[in-house]
Each structure stands twice: as structure tokens, then as C-alpha cells.
Amino acid sequence: MRIVVPVKQVARIDDDDALLEDGSGVDPDALEHELNEWDTFSVEAALQVAEEGDEVVVVTVGEREAEEALLTCLAQGADRGIRVWDQRLGDLDPLATARILAAAVERESPDLVLCGVQSSDGVNGATGVALAAHLKLARVAVVRKIERDGQGLVVDRELEGGLLESIRVPLPALLTVQTGINEPRYATLRAIKQAANKPLTVLDLDELGLDPEAVAGASGSRTRRHLKREAGEGAQMLSGSPDEVAGRIAEIIRESTR
Amino acid sequence: MKTREVMWDMPLGLQALWYLLVGVSILVFLYGVARPVAKYRRGRSEGLPQASELPRRIWAATKTLYSHASIKRRDSLAGWAHRGIFYGWVVLAIGTVIVALDHDVASPIFGFHFLHGDFYLGFKAALNVLGFALIAGLLLMMMRRAFLRPAKLDYARPDRKPGEPQFDRHVYRVGDWVFVGTLLVIACTGFLLEGVRMEMDHPGYSGFQFGGWLPAQVLSGFDLSQGALGGIRHSVWWFHGLLAIAFVASIPYTKAAHMLSSYASLILRDPTAGKRLPQIPAERAAEPAGYATLADFTVTHLLELDACTKCGKCHEVCPANATGRPLSPRDVILELREEANASMHEVGIGGVLGTLIGRDGDGALDQPVVGPDRVHAETIWACYQCNACVEICPVGIEQAPIINQIRRNLVEEGELDSNLQSTFQTIHKSGNSFGENERRRGRWTEELDFEVTDARTQPVDVLWFVGDYASFDPRSRRVTAALAGLMHEAGVDFGILFDGERNSGNDVRRAGEEGLFESLAEQNVETIDACEFNRIVTSDPHSLNTIRNEYSAFGGDWDVCHHTALLLELLDSKRLEIRRTSPHRVTYHDPCFLGRYNGGYDAPRQIIEALGCTLVEMPRNRDNSFCCGAGGGRIWIPDQPGQERPSENRIREAVGLGELDYFVVSCPKDVTMYEDAIKTSGHADDIELRELTELVRDAVHAPQTASLARE
């Protein structure tokens, strides 16, 4: 069985004034990069589903820096990595990313594709399900539990209100995995260094039989402007010693419950 | 003639039997020595000293042994008792060898006796004195075990529950008693034999053999015939002799083995144990790190397991054990020893001899060290790596470094606390444990009324390695600002690395993430190497230790000191002037990594004295300082609620000293730990925390009231 896990190197903003003046984006200096949190769970899920002889392949779309995310996955235990990038590519929305991923994943003819539910920077929750559509795979979203069952899988997916839905899924299939499904194993720095010896293929659009127009055509959205959320109105800032602040809060509560 | 007949009235057949038994005893002894040696050969030879170092090491170990320096430390009673036993045993053993040389070598081969006359009388007197020393030492030890019962000799394990197998290791207690009991019987029957001889022969120099005088007096009361006395003499001779050779044969198999293993361990001990943890050799870069099985142990560490005498000194000082956590360094060592010996037991005689001839082990030690019936993972994670155990161990065992090696493996196996795991990831991503963007590392300087030099762009005299806590923790940043102000005022030409500095990796390494430590050390060494400076000062004792002792392996060889040393220097040279002495009563807490690890005991105390404070020492001070609970990465692992924390235990110790103004510290992690512990232990009204720098600042910045008044 071959399990393909598409992953993303996400950006984390850790500065209050990270937005560029013109609203076109975020100051790259204010960003730190890391493997998308959801993907740490999907990689771990793949490693747990995989049995002797199975192969786990991680795929990402991104520039060279994104290989760090792949190395982390390889250090966790994935067998092989693929990075897709092409100089002709610009900003990609989830649908365009899914189009590229579809071409790369299809070459692997996987039995199972495991995506994270969403990425922590884009928060669209779209790439995984769009990829399933491109690949014409059965898909289950927001999965909390995966078990092998004969030739297929039995998975639990999360519903509102704490309900779970248990579904039998034939393979091949695509699942989007929710956080908390497992405890992602720790990739030590030594393992990350050693992971550099595992096979990592870099592909461009030509090798995938894609052209930039096709990718652009798959796109469904365009970012016009980034805005900073204004602080809500009516907020009252309390200052002073802890005693004073606590006293003031007690007063406010008393007034509002009167 | 002043001498004695060694085999008095013994038929040739019995003499032959005796020599046969002596031969068997020696063979059994030698096999007992071969067994552990075969075991050690299965270990890794890394870290073994060069052969050329051996004479110096043997001399140092012998000095330690003969002065009892490490045995008497913090326990003078045990020191005196052990001296009696040790010197008694050594001299009586030498005496026996002299008798054998005279009787079995000089006389049959060269035809002369030397054990007679005045030499014999001196020999007698010496053996009698030391025989009494031996008996006195043994009785002291027995009294200690039977009546004083120090807590450190209680073998109950904090890592096992009552009722679990091996909870109290009662077999060891029996072994201890058999050991001292056998020696006592051998010594007493020796004197009894002497007494019988005196009663039979009345040689007339009983003053030189006063040990035999008492039994001789008792015997004379019975008015026995020469024949009866002869019978007694034969029986006692055989009893004493057989017990003695049986004891010699049993040495390598019992508690007595420490005569060999502890001495060997003292010879091989690593003087930098704990301060400088071993690197992973390049040839094993691709193999799993640390100790997964006993076969991964170094020869020295395998030997150290056997060297443990169960004296309990480490058990007593361990902060984890003192606060009810499931760790005692003693029990880790003993558990590992039991595992190692159990697996060697399966090898049998053939395996032992085979290993001695060929080098290859056959996987006898290939058993995991961590498991439900073995050392527990929670035990390994309970350690603070404070090195108190290594410091006090009288025989040079490296408890903390062994625990660190096991941690390295647990980290690779993913068996680590999830908070610790995310801290590692945070440090990997951000370069600091706070998860702050490195651009904010130097932000504390913005609150100063002067510019701080960027040491990466300008040459400086002093390169200040600030450290994570002093850079990011709000409380410690006040101390950092005060130190910057003092250095500025004293005209120190200093600079910092701003966003070029990374977590020094001291605690990352001690938590077992060796790869992350390597990467942090490489980054820091590269950054520091590109700067021009004369020396490094750091606010953080943890960084002090790793930069001073461990960065040299990455090419960083610099003069590094702690800020307390710099402050003392500035005060001594009058570059900082104390304007107002502060007559406070204070106590001072030695940070593990400044004190025990790096010997920085005096500078902070001299500063406290110079400030005019009265220093009241806590019972556990200097090399016996009690860890605050932050070390070994434990600061990143949450404690179980409801458990006493070492920092609270320490505050109680300080409050117990009576009225005090300040609890003085000199480590940013101590600032965090003790600010918290003063509150959680309910002593917020009794004592306040001050970082030493703050006391200096207050004394230096005080308004010059006297001179103002004159104007």
C-alpha cells in the first residue's frame, strides 16, 4: 500500500506590525516557517496506518525553503519526499495548489491520500477536498480515527456538538485529518539531519505535464488586500496595580449584574 | 625464639589439603574477577583514558583512597569506621602475605626465615593494633546500621511501590550484615587463635600481642590441659583459615567486590563528569543516540555500576528524591547493575572465558535499559541534572551523565513529555525557549538611556552572552537592565549579539536532545567567532557551563566568566563605588551550574560582604547546594499538582534560618523559580527575592546623602 501525504510549509506571524504598508502582503521578516500543524497529524496517521512493506510519500508545493517541512516529515519516518515548484508560479490559492498536487499525486497512484483538514496560515480547508475532486477519489473530511478493515478503512469523522460519524471507506480514498487524532512523534534534530539522505525528488510543471495557464485556470480566488482586524469597539483597558485592576473588575461585574 | 610455627602439629596430608583449598580459593577469586571483566569488554571503549595517563590517575585514586577524602565527606562517622576497616583489612592482608612469603617462599626455596626476633615483635604489634582498628570499625558500622539507621541506608526505592518486587531490596541488607559479620568473625578468631597459642606456649612477649592476651586470660581460667588446648588450637586454626580463604574467594561476588571495582572506578573517573557531556562520535552519527541497551554503555559506565557501595550519599542529596519524585540515583545504578549481571549470568563460564579470549560479545547485554520491570522512563525524566550525585559519590560514579545518555535514547524513541517536545520544536524554530522572534532578543536595550553596542559590528572588550531568560523573561529583564547600567557606569566596553544569539543549549543537551544542542552550539560558535572581543561574560550560569566547558568541542575556546565575577572585579578595582552599605540579613543560593559545576562559590559571597550584608548560610550551601528544580530541562516540564517542588523545599530551608530580608540568587532561572516558590510556599510576607546585581545597583546608585548634606 502506498500512502501519499500532501503537506504545507506554513508561515507564522509573530509580530504586531507585520502587514506591509500597501496591504499587498506580510513583511517576510516577521514570519517564521514551520510544518503546518494539521500535517504533523496526517503524517503521523500515515505512519500508523502503514504496515510492513507499505510506503509513505510526502508531497509539497513550494520553493526550496519548503524542503524543511519535508525533512521534518522524513525525519518522523516518511520514506520519500517530492517537492513541486516552478519559477513561473506565483501566489497560489487552494484550488490551484490542488491542481498541481493532483498531477504529482496521480503519478504515485496511491491507495490512500491523507491531508490535514486545513493550513494554519490560509485556513481555507479547501485544498484536501479539491484534491479529492481532481483525483476523483472518495473522500472523508475532518477524520478523528482511522482503522484498517480488510481491503478498506473504517474512519470516524467529527460532527458538530461532539458527535462522531463512523464510515466504512473503500480504497483508494482521500481523508482530511483533524488535530488530536494521534500524538505526532518527535523528530529529533539528528533525525532531521539524517533525513537529508532519504530520497527527495524536485519536479517542475513540465515534468508534471502542466502549464502555468492550466494552473491559473484552476484558481478560484484572488487576494486583493490584507487588512488588520480593528480592535473591537467599547473595549476598556484597565491599568494599575493588580489590586487596583482586580478591584475595578469586581466593580464592573457588580454594576453589570445589578 | 620470638616467632611462631605456622602449621603447628599438622600432618602432611592436611597440609596438602590446605594448599589445595587455597588454590581453589584463588581460582574462584580469579573467575570472579574475570566475570565482570568479560562484561566490561562488551561495552564501548569510548572515553577510556590513555595508557600514559594511568600512573597519574592511579596515584590520584590511591591518594583519595588512603586519605578517605571522598568517604568521610559529609559523614565523618562512616569515614572513621571505614578507615578502621580499610586500614585493618589492608594491614592484616599484608601480614598474611608476609607470613606466606616467610613460610612458603623464603624458607622452602631459600632456606631461611625472616619472621622472627624484633621484626616479628613489631609485626605482631602492628597487626594487633590494626586488628583492633578493624574490629572497632566493624562494630561502628554495625551500630550505625542497627541503631542510628540513617535514612540514606534505607534501601526502599522511590521508583517502586511497597509490595512490588525489589521494593526494599532486603537481600542487600542481608548481604551487608554477612559482609561485616564475616570480617568480624575472622578478626575475632584471629585473636582467639593468638590467645590459644599464648596460653600454650607462654612466649613472654604478650605486650606485643595484646589482642591475644584477653582470650588467653579467659582460657587460663578454665585450666585446660595442653592436649585440650591443642585441640582448640587446631579447630580455631581451621575455622579461621577456612573462613578467611572462603572470604577471599567470595570477594568478587559480594559487597566486598567494591574493594576492586570502586578503586578501579576512582582510577577511570572522568574529572569533567557532567560538566562536559560526551559527544556522539562521528562514526556513530547514523546510529541511534544514547543508551538503549546495556551494550551501548561505555566500559567505564559498566564498571561504575559495579563500583556502587550503596552508601546512599547520592540518594540523600538528590533533589528529586528529597521531594518525593520516583528517582534515586542509587537505585538507578543498582537496577542497571542487576540487569547487567543477570544477563551475564545467562552467558555462563564458557561465555565469560570466550569473551576474554576474543573481543566480541554475543549480545548478552542487548537488553533495553528502560521498561516496566527495569528503570522507568518517569525515573529518567525526574532528574534535574544538578550533578549533586556525581559531586558526592565517593567512588566516581557518573549517575547524571548515565541518566543523560538514557534520555538521549528516550528522545529518539519519542518517549518524552509533550511540553518538552514542543519546547524543543520552539527552540529549533525560534532559537529561544520563549518562542519569541529573535528580533526581540535585544529589545530590552530600548528601555536604557544609552546605546548597547552590537558586538557583531564593533570590537568590544567584553562580549555579553545574555541568555534566554535574561533576555525575554520580564522579571529577569529588570536584572539585565540593572547589570547593563552598572557595566555602562563602570565604563566597561561591552556589547551583545542581539538577534545573533541563540539558546546556549546547556539544558537542551541535558534534556537529551543532542542534535539540537549540536546545532545551537554550532550557530553560537559561528556567531561569536565572527566577533572581536577579549572575553565573554554571561548572566546565565547554564550558558556559562556549556560555553566554557562544551563549546570547545565545536571550536569555541574563550575566556568565559559569570557576571558575579565581573561585578566583583568592578567593585574591587573601584570602578564601581558602593555609596551606601546595606545592613540586610540575607541568605544566598548557589546555582548548580555556577557553583557545583564551575566552582563559582566565592565571588557572590565576597560581593554580599562588600555590600555590608550579613550572610546567613543555609545548611545546604556551596557544593551541597540544593537544585531549584529548573535544571535538565525540567523547567519546561510541568510538575504534578500537589507535589512539593524543590524550589519550595529550598525556600522552607531559608525561612527556617529565622528573620531574613532577602533570598539572594545569581541565576535568571532561579529568579523565575524562587519568585514563584516564595509565593506558592506561602512565605511572601517572610522573605523577598533579590538578584545579586540588584543589591549592587541599589548600593551603587544610592544618593550620596553625606556629600549632599555638606553642600
Side-chain angles (χ1 to χ4, degrees):
Chain A
M1 175 153 134
R2 179 175 291 158
I3 308 172
V4 173
V5 188
V7 301
K8 182 180 182 185
Q9 169 98 319
V10 294
R12 187 161 55 93
I13 300 174
D14 71 340
D15 213 326
D16 304 335
D17 300 312
L19 220 53
L20 292 176
E21 298 265 323
D22 62 1
S24 63
V26 178
D27 177 3
D29 275 356
L31 294 180
E32 300 212 333
H33 296 275
E34 62 190 24
L35 176 63
N36 176 33
E37 189 190 351
W38 276 262
D39 298 342
T40 63
F41 291 93
S42 57
V43 171
E44 180 64 37
L47 293 169
Q48 288 184 10
V49 170
E51 291 170 356
E52 194 70 37
D54 293 351
E55 191 187 26
V56 175
V57 183
V58 283
V59 187
T60 194
V61 178
E63 294 183 71
R64 197 178 168 78
E65 291 77 48
E67 279 183 16
E68 263 180 54
L70 287 184
L71 279 182
T72 307
C73 304
L74 293 173
Q76 270 179 278
D79 300 293
R80 195 148 63 73
I82 299 168
R83 177 173 70 87
V84 184
W85 191 246
D86 198 300
Q87 289 198 324
R88 294 167 287 175
L89 289 172
D91 276 345
L92 299 168
D93 82 336
L95 298 185
T97 308
R99 181 73 196 85
I100 300 170
L101 280 174
V105 173
E106 202 164 22
R107 287 161 46 109
E108 299 291 333
S109 32
D111 302 286
L112 179 62
V113 181
L114 293 179
C115 298
V117 166
Q118 61 189 37
S119 61
S120 59
D121 55 354
V123 206
N124 287 296
T127 312
V129 285
L131 175 59
H134 280 302
L135 296 170
K136 300 190 170 51
L137 285 179
R139 61 124 178 101
V140 182
V142 203
V143 168
R144 286 297 305 265
K145 188 174 161 198
I146 307 172
E147 267 173 14
R148 274 189 159 184
D149 180 50
Q151 293 305 306
L153 300 173
V154 175
V155 303
D156 287 357
R157 65 181 294 261
E158 202 175 271
L159 301 178
E160 283 300 305
L163 291 178
L164 290 176
E165 183 180 19
S166 188
I167 302 172
R168 190 182 300 273
V169 196
L171 294 177
L174 182 146
L175 314 178
T176 71
V177 170
Q178 180 61 306
T179 54
I181 184 174
N182 51 41
E183 281 182 33
R185 68 193 70 187
Y186 177 62
T188 64
L189 258 275
R190 293 181 77 237
I192 292 173
K193 278 185 199 164
Q194 284 159 23
N197 299 325
K198 288 192 175 180
L200 200 161
T201 321
V202 183
L203 300 172
D204 63 18
L205 291 184
D206 296 336
E207 284 162 297
L208 290 178
L210 287 173
D211 56 60
E213 288 73 43
V215 174
S219 201
S221 63
R222 176 169 70 89
T223 303
R224 289 174 57 203
R225 205 171 153 220
H226 286 87
L227 298 167
K228 192 171 175 181
R229 185 167 51 202
E230 295 298 329
E233 279 187 23
Q236 190 184 350
M237 297 306 293
L238 304 178
S239 58
S241 73
D243 281 351
E244 289 162 11
V245 172
R248 186 73 196 104
I249 292 173
E251 221 171 275
I252 293 168
I253 294 171
R254 244 181 267 124
E255 278 167 17
S256 63
T257 51
R258 195 168 287 152
Chain B
M1 190 160 149
K2 292 169 189 161
T3 186
R4 75 175 188 233
E5 201 178 331
V6 174
M7 291 197 168
W8 169 77
D9 191 29
M10 198 185 284
L12 197 62
L14 278 181
Q15 289 200 22
L17 175 66
W18 168 253
Y19 284 106
L20 179 72
L21 289 174
V22 169
V24 170
S25 154
I26 291 172
L27 279 181
V28 174
F29 174 87
L30 287 178
Y31 178 70
V33 175
R35 215 169 50 142
V37 170
K39 177 173 68 180
Y40 307 149
R41 292 189 70 138
R42 285 157 202 259
R44 291 177 167 157
S45 55
E46 294 149 24
L48 277 177
Q50 304 280 323
S52 60
E53 268 186 62
L54 278 180
R56 194 186 53 76
R57 280 172 165 273
I58 291 172
W59 173 241
T62 309
K63 243 176 26 188
T64 306
L65 177 58
Y66 278 79
S67 65
H68 271 59
S70 63
I71 301 172
K72 68 184 182 193
R73 207 166 151 204
R74 294 186 210 154
D75 191 343
S76 58
L77 176 69
W80 283 115
H82 195 277
R83 276 191 192 95
I85 300 172
F86 171 76
Y87 283 106
W89 160 257
V90 167
V91 172
L92 290 176
I94 292 173
T96 309
V97 170
I98 290 177
V99 171
L101 280 178
D102 181 69
H103 182 261
D104 302 327
V105 180
S107 158
I109 300 176
F110 304 105
F112 75 96
H113 281 283
F114 58 81
L115 196 57
H116 57 76
D118 289 345
F119 177 68
Y120 177 67
L121 291 186
F123 172 87
K124 278 267 85 169
L127 261 58
N128 268 270
V129 170
L130 272 304
F132 270 111
L134 172 64
I135 291 175
L138 290 167
L139 289 176
L140 267 181
M141 284 297 196
M142 288 175 156
M143 186 194 75
R144 186 164 165 261
R145 279 173 190 277
F147 303 115
L148 299 180
R149 296 175 177 229
K152 60 184 169 184
L153 291 183
D154 180 356
Y155 295 151
R157 297 171 63 167
D159 59 336
R160 294 286 190 276
K161 289 182 188 68
E164 284 187 75
Q166 289 295 306
F167 163 68
D168 66 352
R169 290 199 165 110
H170 50 277
V171 181
Y172 284 159
R173 255 197 328 268
V174 175
D176 292 343
W177 280 103
V178 169
F179 176 54
V180 283
T182 313
L183 275 175
L184 189 65
V185 172
I186 293 175
C188 291
T189 50
F191 280 133
L192 177 59
L193 185 60
E194 196 172 43
V196 181
R197 269 202 318 266
M198 287 163 74
E199 182 58 18
M200 281 181 80
D201 305 343
H202 295 285
Y205 43 82
S206 51
F208 291 93
Q209 38 188 356
F210 41 88
W213 179 81
L214 188 68
Q217 291 306 303
V218 174
L219 284 169
S220 68
F222 291 102
D223 198 18
L224 298 164
S225 68
Q226 282 288 329
L229 283 171
I232 295 175
R233 184 165 173 180
H234 278 302
S235 331
V236 175
W237 191 95
W238 276 100
F239 183 78
H240 176 78
L242 288 177
L243 198 58
I245 60 172
F247 180 80
V248 168
S250 76
I251 286 175
Y253 305 90
T254 62
K255 188 187 170 91
H258 79 271
M259 299 179 197
L260 307 167
S261 55
S262 303
Y263 182 51
S265 168
L266 277 175
I267 293 170
L268 295 180
R269 78 186 304 174
D270 175 5
T272 62
K275 304 177 175 92
R276 180 181 297 156
L277 293 173
Q279 282 190 287
I280 297 169
E283 67 270 19
R284 280 221 312 281
E287 289 171 37
Y291 291 169
T293 70
L294 286 155
D296 297 327
F297 276 53
T298 63
V299 173
T300 319
H301 281 171
L302 284 176
L303 169 72
E304 285 171 9
L305 303 182
D306 287 339
C308 176
T309 64
K310 310 189 287 289
C311 72
K313 283 180 195 270
C314 62
H315 181 79
E316 190 176 36
V317 296
C318 177
N321 184 40
T323 53
R325 281 154 179 77
L327 162 68
S328 157
R330 172 195 72 193
D331 293 321
V332 171
I333 296 301
L334 292 177
E335 177 69 37
L336 292 170
R337 176 206 287 186
E338 287 159 16
E339 300 298 338
N341 287 346
S343 67
M344 277 312 283
H345 193 69
E346 289 162 19
V347 174
I349 296 186
V352 168
L353 298 181
T355 310
L356 286 183
I357 300 160
R359 253 218 86 108
D360 284 336
D362 55 0
L365 297 179
D366 286 354
Q367 302 186 30
V369 285
V370 173
D373 310 326
R374 297 160 185 272
V375 178
H376 294 172
E378 56 166 14
T379 297
I380 294 302
W381 287 116
C383 172
Y384 298 101
Q385 297 277 295
C386 74
N387 231 28
C389 48
V390 176
E391 172 77 28
I392 195 60
C393 180
V395 299
I397 299 173
E398 300 169 26
Q399 298 93 332
I402 289 175
I403 288 174
N404 181 259
Q405 288 282 8
I406 299 175
R407 278 186 178 179
R408 287 185 187 178
N409 193 261
L410 289 180
V411 169
E412 294 213 340
E413 293 295 316
E415 281 186 51
L416 66 163
D417 180 88
S418 58
N419 290 277
L420 182 62
Q421 178 170 326
S422 46
T423 306
F424 286 156
Q425 281 158 342
T426 300
I427 295 175
H428 174 45
K429 274 178 284 197
S430 334
N432 63 76
S433 59
F434 288 76
E436 295 266 8
N437 190 307
E438 280 301 331
R439 294 192 304 172
R440 278 198 280 276
R441 191 179 271 277
R443 222 164 247 189
W444 60 269
T445 58
E446 291 166 12
E447 289 148 30
L448 303 174
D449 50 12
F450 56 91
E451 287 274 308
V452 173
T453 308
D454 186 338
R456 294 170 300 176
T457 58
Q458 261 187 66
V460 289
D461 176 32
V462 170
L463 173 65
W464 183 9
F465 191 96
V466 185
D468 281 8
Y469 269 77
S471 299
F472 294 113
D473 177 68
R475 171 67 181 89
S476 274
R477 276 169 63 156
R478 282 165 29 205
V479 178
T480 309
L483 182 59
L486 287 170
M487 286 207 257
H488 179 68
E489 206 167 315
V492 176
D493 171 25
F494 73 95
I496 65 171
L497 297 170
F498 288 92
D499 54 332
E501 188 181 301
R502 293 285 172 277
N503 179 296
S504 68
N506 186 68
D507 303 287
V508 166
R509 182 171 226 196
R510 277 152 190 83
E513 219 313 14
E514 185 65 7
L516 182 54
F517 165 72
E518 286 169 4
S519 131
L520 293 167
E522 281 161 10
Q523 290 178 59
N524 278 325
V525 168
E526 193 186 331
T527 309
I528 296 172
D529 242 355
C531 304
E532 226 179 293
F533 61 94
N534 294 318
R535 57 174 170 158
I536 298 176
V537 166
T538 174
S539 306
D540 174 26
H542 297 244
S543 301
L544 170 78
N545 181 65
T546 198
I547 298 175
R548 179 185 278 175
N549 299 317
E550 295 181 321
Y551 277 16
S552 55
F554 299 85
D557 242 328
W558 309 292
D559 180 9
V560 195
C561 76
H562 185 241
H563 71 258
T564 48
L566 179 74
L567 283 176
L568 180 65
E569 195 184 303
L570 297 177
L571 289 169
D572 280 350
S573 61
K574 305 281 179 220
R575 286 166 78 182
L576 283 179
E577 205 183 324
I578 295 171
R579 299 211 167 100
R580 182 176 58 191
T581 55
S582 40
H584 300 296
R585 270 172 68 83
V586 306
T587 191
Y588 173 70
H589 165 78
D590 289 279
C592 306
F593 282 93
L594 176 61
R596 204 153 38 226
Y597 273 87
N598 286 287
Y601 302 120
D602 295 325
R605 287 178 171 76
Q606 285 166 12
I607 295 174
I608 288 171
E609 196 184 327
L611 296 177
C613 296
T614 309
L615 174 64
V616 186
E617 293 280 6
M618 285 181 274
R620 294 174 292 190
N621 60 59
R622 297 177 74 96
D623 55 70
N624 193 20
S625 182
F626 192 71
C627 173
C628 72
R634 285 293 325 189
I635 198 167
W636 303 315
I637 304 174
D639 281 306
Q640 300 284 334
Q643 230 177 355
E644 187 192 32
R645 291 181 296 163
S647 51
E648 294 164 349
N649 183 295
R650 186 66 157 164
I651 291 299
R652 291 191 181 101
E653 183 181 2
V655 171
L657 296 173
E659 196 82 358
L660 284 180
D661 299 310
Y662 299 132
F663 186 86
V664 179
V665 298
S666 59
C667 166
K669 290 194 176 80
D670 282 336
V671 171
T672 302
M673 298 303 282
Y674 289 121
E675 281 285 14
D676 204 26
I678 286 174
K679 295 186 193 96
T680 56
S681 63
H683 289 293
D685 296 331
D686 304 321
I687 199 161
E688 265 185 76
L689 180 124
R690 285 286 184 282
E691 213 278 353
L692 191 49
T693 312
E694 297 175 308
L695 290 183
V696 176
R697 182 215 34 217
D698 293 347
V700 168
H701 282 184
Q704 285 172 290
T705 40
S707 57
L708 280 176
R710 246 180 276 123
E711 277 166 16

